[in-house]
Structures are given as C-alpha cells and as structure tokens.
C-alpha cells in the first residue's frame, strides 16, 4: 500500500468485500457501504439494488460556513485591509483602490450557484458495478467497484464534468495538455478527452487497472487524442517521472482529492510542482472536514484562487487556481 491512500477516495482506509471475514471486518465493510450510500447514492443503488429506478439525488450533511480566516484568503483580504475596513468609512476610505486592485487580482466575482444535473442514466444491467452517464453528447459507461474507494464516482467528478461541458468557451480544452491527479474511475479525464484535450490520467498503482479499462472503453472508437494513463504517487518521484523540461500542462484537474488523510502536504507539493505560469488548476471538492478548509487556506496562500461555482445541495465547491506572478 502506498504511503497515502488513493488520491481520488474521500475516506480511509480502502476495504475489501467480505469473504469469510471476522465480525470486526464485516462491520468495517458495512461502514464502507454506508459511506458510499451517503456520498454517492446512485453508486450504492447500482451496486446493491441494480433494479431500483429512483432519480439520483445528492444526499449530504449541512456544510459549515467558511471559517473567517479562510474566507479572507478567498476574498484576497489581508489583516491590514480588515483593520482598515473596520476603522474607515467606506466612502472616505483612502485604501479603497488597494482593496479594488487586490480583489481584481484574485477574481472577486461571486461564484455561480449550480446543481449537479442528473447525467446518470438508470438502466437495467446484468452488471452491478457499471454506471451510465451522458456528457457532451456521448454516453459514458463507468465501471465501479467497492473494492477501492478510488473506483467510485464521487460528487466532485460530477460537478467538474458538468462545468467543463457547460463552459467550453471559458475553458477551451481542444488540443490542450491536461493532467488529472487522483483520476479514480476516469470520468473527468474521459470528458476532457471528448472535449479534445491531450489527457494524462494519473492515480495510485492499485487504481490504474480499473482507470485504464474505463478510459480505453470510452475513448477507443472516438476521433480524439489518445489518452495516457500513468502512475502518480503524490510528492514522490516527480522530477524522475515528470521532468519539468519535458512535461508542461495547460490544465491540472482534480476532484475530491482533499479529505481527512495524511498526504495533504504531498498533494499540495504535487499541485505546486505541476502548476507553472500559464497553467490553470481546476479543483472540485466536497467539503466535509475541517482539514478540507485548512487545505483551502494553504492553497490560497500560494496561488491566485477563485471560487468558480458552488453546488450547495452536494456541498461541492469548484475552484480555479493559477500561479502568482512576481
């Protein structure tokens, strides 16, 4: 097992299906099933009740508001500006131009509030582990498994896939080099391929077989750039496997890679390594834990960060980050 758990799974640890398991192991498997049902009810339905046809509805707990300090980072507000805001009248404040330029630099436009659409297509299928989606006019069949949390489609992937489909003028992927970290089932990478990108989908070794199968199955007969699937362990062997002199990406995509695990520093280091001047990082994440917001604060301290969209029903935020120019 890698030093950190798989990049695309939001819980820890990955568990196996019960096979003559002892009671404690069975309880762990039942807990895993509960997590899948809570976070991805459409996956739970297909895996355990394949002939159930109710519409897909995202079910999630209430999301806490942004902590004040993190909100200031997202708004581009420094402690000095906060003090000024408290002491100065808004009409007479001599610092207003400084506030405006700071906000403009970070992108102060309010994020779009969206809802994850039902691109999941309920079907009668002899397979308990396949999900059918429709994006950019193409039917996408994703093989899932409860063998690994990284082999499940999580809400962030649905949100980013939907946003890329709906905002092709803003983020034109045609003939662009795209790297997905923590690709999981490969749904987002497949959508990026359909949109014309040169895609490299990466994840941990134990996820690559299912990832390769999904990407190959959904892109082999299409007129598009052939995608690549590669191993990537956050923070390990980056210079050896992806030398800067050879690899430069226009877009870095990541979904639900931040949750309560021990590799957040390695993840941030990986994002910093791949994000060069001109690179756009698009990160969609369901915010569940305090550690998620702490990571967001660290990201905002390093990159120019903007919230592009929020999906309140599923507690997902979609962010854009770019390298700060000196």
């Amino acid at each position: 097992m890698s030093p950190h758990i798989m990049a695309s799974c939001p819980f820890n640890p990955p568990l196996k299906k019960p096979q003559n398991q002892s009671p404690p192991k069975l309880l762990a498997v039942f807990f895993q099933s509960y997590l899948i049902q809570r976070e991805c009810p459409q996956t739970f339905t297909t895996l355990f009740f394949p002939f159930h046809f109710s519409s897909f509805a995202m079910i999630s707990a209430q999301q806490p508001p942004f902590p004040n300090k993190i909100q200031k980072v997202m708004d581009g507000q420094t402690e000095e500006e906060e003090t000024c805001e408290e002491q100065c009248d808004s009409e007479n404040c001599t610092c207003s131009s400084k506030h405006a330029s700071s906000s403009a630099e970070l992108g102060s436009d309010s994020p779009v509030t969206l809802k994850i659409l039902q691109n999941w297509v309920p079907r009668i299928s002899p397979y308990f582990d396949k999900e059918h989606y429709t994006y950019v006019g193409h039917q996408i069949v994703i093989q899932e498994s409860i063998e690994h949390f990284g082999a499940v489609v999580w809400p962030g992937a649905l949100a980013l896939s939907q946003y890329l489909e709906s905002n092709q003028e803003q983020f034109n992927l045609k003939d662009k080099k795209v790297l997905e970290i923590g690709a999981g089932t490969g749904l987002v990478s497949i959508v990026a391929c359909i949109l014309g990108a040169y895609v490299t989908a990466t994840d941990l070794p134990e996820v690559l077989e299912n990832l390769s199968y999904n990407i190959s199955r959904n892109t082999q007969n299409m007129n598009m750039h052939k995608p690549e699937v590669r191993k990537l362990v956050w923070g390990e062997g980056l210079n050896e496997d992806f030398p800067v002199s050879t690899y430069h990406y226009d877009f870095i995509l990541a979904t639900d890679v931040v949750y309560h695990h021990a590799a957040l520093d390695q993840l941030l280091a990986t994002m910093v390594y791949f994000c060069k001047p001109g690179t756009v990082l698009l990160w969609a994440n369901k915010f569940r834990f305090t550690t998620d917001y702490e990571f967001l604060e660290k990201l905002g301290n390093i990159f120019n960060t903007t919230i592009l969209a929020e999906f309140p029903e599923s507690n997902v935020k979609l962010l854009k980050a770019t390298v700060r120019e000196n």
Side-chain angles (χ1 to χ4, degrees):
M1 185 74 180
S2 174
H4 69 270
I5 54 182
M6 60 198 66
S8 54
C9 68
F11 294 98
N12 174 30
L15 302 169
K16 298 293 184 179
K17 293 179 182 177
Q19 295 179 350
N20 299 323
Q21 304 261 22
S22 62
K25 290 184 178 179
L26 285 173
L27 288 175
V29 173
F30 292 149
F31 178 64
Q32 170 180 296
S33 301
Y34 160 74
L35 292 178
I36 294 176
Q37 188 275 338
R38 187 186 72 174
E39 300 290 329
C40 298
Q42 88 283 12
T43 296
F44 181 82
T45 296
T46 305
L47 289 172
F48 297 101
F49 303 100
F51 303 109
H52 182 70
F53 296 101
S54 62
S55 297
F56 166 41
M58 300 304 298
I59 301 174
S60 59
Q62 289 294 320
Q63 171 188 332
F66 273 119
N68 290 336
K69 186 175 181 182
I70 296 175
Q71 185 62 59
K72 292 170 198 168
V73 172
M74 296 307 303
D75 293 338
Q77 184 181 45
T78 64
E79 292 183 4
E80 179 183 353
E81 290 166 350
E82 180 190 12
T83 302
C84 171
E85 189 177 79
E86 293 175 352
Q87 296 178 352
C88 300
D89 182 87
S90 60
E91 295 182 359
N92 301 321
C93 179
T94 59
C95 305
S96 58
S97 60
K98 178 176 65 178
H99 288 216
S101 61
S102 175
S103 298
E105 180 183 354
L106 290 179
S108 60
D109 293 341
S110 299
V112 179
T113 300
L114 301 173
K115 179 179 180 180
I116 295 180
L117 302 178
Q118 186 180 333
N119 288 52
W120 172 63
V121 182
R123 285 177 174 269
I124 297 178
S125 172
Y127 302 99
F128 288 7
D129 58 351
K130 284 186 170 59
E131 292 287 355
H132 298 254
Y133 300 89
T134 301
Y135 288 102
V136 203
H138 290 76
Q139 183 182 100
I140 301 171
V141 180
I142 296 295
Q143 176 173 280
E144 297 181 304
S145 172
I146 60 171
E147 292 287 336
H148 297 289
F149 280 123
V152 174
V153 176
W154 299 98
L158 300 176
L160 183 53
S161 296
Q162 176 179 319
Y163 195 86
L164 291 175
E165 177 186 33
S166 303
N167 295 271
Q168 297 180 45
E169 292 186 2
Q170 182 181 5
F171 298 107
N172 181 8
L173 301 187
K174 185 173 177 57
D175 297 329
K176 298 297 193 300
K177 294 182 179 179
V178 173
L179 174 73
E180 185 179 8
I181 57 177
T185 62
L187 176 61
V188 174
S189 286
I190 293 167
V191 172
C193 281
I194 295 172
L195 291 172
Y198 293 93
V199 174
T200 301
T202 66
D203 213 313
L204 295 181
E206 55 266 36
V207 184
L208 294 186
E209 182 178 359
N210 189 62
L211 172 61
S212 298
Y213 172 81
N214 282 331
I215 289 182
S216 175
R217 185 191 190 285
N218 288 281
T219 62
Q220 60 184 351
N221 296 322
M222 295 182 184
N223 184 21
M224 60 182 63
H225 304 304
K226 184 178 179 180
E228 183 181 12
V229 176
R230 295 189 60 179
K231 178 193 77 171
L232 174 60
V233 179
W234 298 336
E236 295 186 10
L238 299 179
N239 286 313
E240 293 79 8
D241 297 334
F242 297 88
V244 175
S245 58
T246 305
Y247 294 92
H248 175 83
Y249 296 97
D250 301 297
F251 290 90
I252 308 297
L253 308 180
T255 63
D256 278 319
V257 292
V258 176
Y259 48 98
H260 190 68
H261 62 75
L264 291 178
D265 289 341
Q266 293 91 324
L267 170 60
L268 185 59
T270 301
M271 290 179 169
V272 170
Y273 179 82
F274 284 113
C275 287
K276 305 302 179 185
T279 301
V280 175
L281 168 64
L282 296 176
W283 166 43
N285 215 90
K286 179 166 184 174
F287 282 76
R288 307 169 177 87
F289 309 109
T290 303
T291 49
D292 302 347
Y293 293 96
E294 292 172 352
F295 183 90
L296 176 59
E297 181 181 359
K298 292 179 180 179
L299 189 78
N301 289 333
I302 298 174
F303 295 100
N304 292 322
T305 310
T306 305
I307 301 180
L308 296 175
E310 295 180 307
F311 300 77
E313 292 188 2
S314 49
N315 291 348
V316 171
K317 296 184 186 297
L318 172 60
L319 297 100
K320 169 188 172 183
T322 57
V323 173
R324 288 179 177 171
E325 298 181 2
N326 295 327

